[in-house]
Structure formats: C-alpha cells, structure tokens
Amino acid sequence: KNIIFQVGQIFPNFGLNNTDSTGQLNYVEFNLPSNTFATDYYLGSTFLIHNKQLSAFFSAFGPRIAVNYDGRYPFGALTREIWSPIHNEHQTFETGISLWYQKPDGSNTSGWGTVPEVDSRDMTSLADTGTILNTRNSLTYDLEIAYQLGPFYVASEYMSDRVSRLKNNPNLTFSGAYISTSVFLTGE
C-alpha cells in the first residue's frame, strides 16, 4: 500500500517543479532552472516508500530509448526525500531535497540547456552550456520548499550541478533558483 516499485521506462522523480503534471502547473510555464535541470525518460527502476508525512524515492537508470551512445551506456542514480507535515484541504507545507548522480556514455561529454516552452520557428536556447568535454560525472542537487494557504501559494527551489572532469580539466558548477507565488482567483 505504501510501497511502489517500477521497472522499465521511468521518469526519475527530481525536484518540485520537474515532477508537476503539465495539467497541474500553477505557473504559466516551468521555471527556467527546473526546465534546465530536468530529467528525461530512462530505462531503469524506481522505488517509492511513503507515509502521511514522508516520501522517499530511489531510482537507478541507464540509457534512454532510441538514443545512440558512444561506447559504454550512461548510468544514473537519483534520490528525492520529501517532508510534508501539513497537508489538508486548506493548507499544505512541503520541503525536500533531491540528489542526482550521472555518469556519461563513452564519449565523456555532458551539457545542460533549455529552450522556451512556447513553440516558435526560432528555438534559440535560453540557457546552454554547450558540450562539456572530458566529463567524469555530474552531481546535481535540488532544495525545495512550498506552502499553500487557501488560494495563496508560494514555492521555491535552488538547484546546482557540479561537473567533475577528467585529464586535469577544471570542475564546473552551474546553479539556478526561483521563487514563485500564485493566487487562485477561483478558489481552487
């Protein structure tokens, strides 16, 4: 009842805004840092255990379907812990942390980027690291907090990624944050 285990094509549970269903978004679109550090669908397994106040997700995954890889397959592991001591019809509070370890394929390359969610002819990247060569692995973490009281809602996340590199190349760090507030005028 309080344990879920999935194997196959999974979407690892990472961060607050990344795991919102697009039909349930409280914003016009995903926040830029969330979209940049979003996970994808992978072949793997995920395990969830939860009770009334705590949820813990654990995932291990390999390649994405229909992607050609150079040499070895990539590997990733992710965990997300959520504490929600208040959640009733009129008030909700949640805080959590996510950690995501990713080892690249045999090309030893990585990179982060995002395009606008609005479809246009020019899908120029809003944020793009380009290809990062000589990547050993990356570790991304996410700190999240959200509070809702009646029609008022506020949420915030901080995300940071540290790319560990090979061949005496300097390690790199990328980060982003957002604070978002909403008022539901219809009281939903």
Side-chain angles (χ1 to χ4, degrees):
K1 181 178 175 180
N2 294 340
I3 297 174
I4 298 171
F5 183 72
Q6 296 175 318
V7 176
Q9 183 170 313
I10 63 166
F11 187 81
N13 196 302
F14 181 77
L16 178 65
N17 199 211
N18 281 333
T19 53
D20 283 345
S21 167
T22 53
Q24 301 296 320
L25 285 179
N26 297 325
Y27 322 107
V28 173
E29 61 180 42
F30 285 110
N31 295 289
L32 183 61
S34 299
N35 212 24
T36 304
F37 294 114
T39 60
D40 210 336
Y41 284 93
Y42 297 94
L43 290 176
S45 63
T46 190
F47 177 75
L48 161 65
I49 185 166
H50 63 94
N51 63 26
K52 289 188 175 197
Q53 292 189 355
L54 298 171
S55 297
F57 297 84
F58 305 95
S59 299
F61 45 90
R64 294 187 347 229
I65 294 175
V67 174
N68 293 322
Y69 292 100
D70 184 6
R72 72 173 183 272
Y73 284 128
F75 169 79
L78 188 146
T79 184
R80 180 179 182 213
E81 282 69 44
I82 304 164
W83 178 55
S84 180
I86 302 169
H87 47 274
N88 59 52
E89 192 175 308
H90 303 286
Q91 185 178 12
T92 304
F93 173 77
E94 167 193 311
T95 188
I97 185 169
S98 300
L99 297 170
W100 173 12
Y101 171 85
Q102 184 72 48
K103 183 134 179 100
D105 69 3
S107 69
N108 293 322
T109 61
S110 64
W112 293 109
T114 188
V115 296
E117 287 187 65
V118 176
D119 289 335
S120 70
R121 293 178 193 251
D122 179 20
M123 293 302 284
T124 303
S125 292
L126 294 175
D128 190 350
T129 64
T131 301
I132 301 171
L133 302 174
N134 299 307
T135 298
R136 175 180 290 120
N137 59 55
S138 66
L139 181 63
T140 309
Y141 69 90
D142 174 281
L143 303 173
E144 65 186 70
I145 190 166
Y147 180 71
Q148 173 261 322
L149 178 62
F152 302 100
Y153 179 78
V154 62
S156 182
E157 286 184 275
Y158 173 79
M159 293 158 236
S160 183
D161 177 67
R162 183 172 189 273
V163 178
S164 177
R165 300 180 70 206
L166 301 165
K167 301 180 182 177
N168 295 322
N169 285 288
N171 295 333
L172 303 171
T173 301
F174 305 96
S175 59
Y178 74 86
I179 296 174
S180 182
T181 61
S182 300
V183 176
F184 301 98
L185 299 177
T186 58
E188 296 168 350

